[in-house]
Amino acid sequence: QHLITWQKNRPSRVLTAAALGILTITTYFHATDDLLLRQEKYNVDAHRVNVMIMAMRHLRSQHGDIGFLNDDEQAIQTYIPASRRHKYSGPPSADTEKDWLKKTNVKYIVERNDEEHWQIAKEKPQLIEHIHTFENIHGPEQVLVYLVHRGKL
């Protein structure tokens, strides 16, 4: 008997269908906006990681230890063994960095364009040589790699 009432009550069917339609459309557009925001955040993070991965893949095949101002990134820890990674934690000073480079056996130093920079690269460029810039084609992210001239230290 309920089935007969449902079939005869056309306004109920229309209102139910309209309510479900509005609910579905609202959920769809809300979810789409949320997904687009998540995708954008992921893409920004992925571009940053991808540039470091490119640099670390290159340096992994090179011989020699590598100095970092910040070695907390997963790409660095994944591609470069701990025995080849050295983190500089002293004050930002070209002379202090030079002394640190003398003590360690670092052959390459790495920096990002958007973080703190090696002062030795600015103040004593004769001691190091910029050998490669890894760039992101979708944004401003860069990783710069320098060769340390150990004989000039």
Side-chain angles (χ1 to χ4, degrees), residues 36-54 73-76 112 114-115 135-143:
L36 290 174
L37 290 173
R38 285 183 185 195
Q39 181 182 8
E40 184 62 28
K41 182 185 181 308
Y42 171 78
N43 284 340
V44 168
D45 292 344
H47 293 311
R48 184 173 170 75
V49 171
N50 190 43
V51 172
M52 185 59 78
I53 286 173
M54 289 188 303
E73 294 186 48
Q74 185 176 5
I76 296 170
R112 283 190 174 276
D114 60 350
E115 293 179 352
E135 297 180 301
N136 177 9
I137 61 171
H138 300 291
E141 295 86 4
Q142 293 180 333
V143 173

Side-chain angles (χ1 to χ4, degrees), residues 62-81:
Q62 305 300 313
H63 297 289
D65 291 358
I66 307 162
F68 299 93
L69 293 169
N70 178 7
D71 69 346
D72 296 337
E73 294 186 48
Q74 185 176 5
I76 296 170
Q77 295 174 2
T78 301
Y79 285 95
I80 306 300

Side-chain angles (χ1 to χ4, degrees), residues 63-67 83-86 99-109 148 150 153:
H63 297 289
D65 291 358
I66 307 162
S83 60
R84 291 186 59 202
R85 287 193 316 258
H86 300 276
D99 292 340
W100 179 79
L101 288 170
K102 281 182 185 177
K103 289 177 190 172
T104 60
N105 194 26
V106 170
K107 185 174 180 180
Y108 303 98
I109 57 176
V148 177
R150 303 221 33 96
L153 296 174

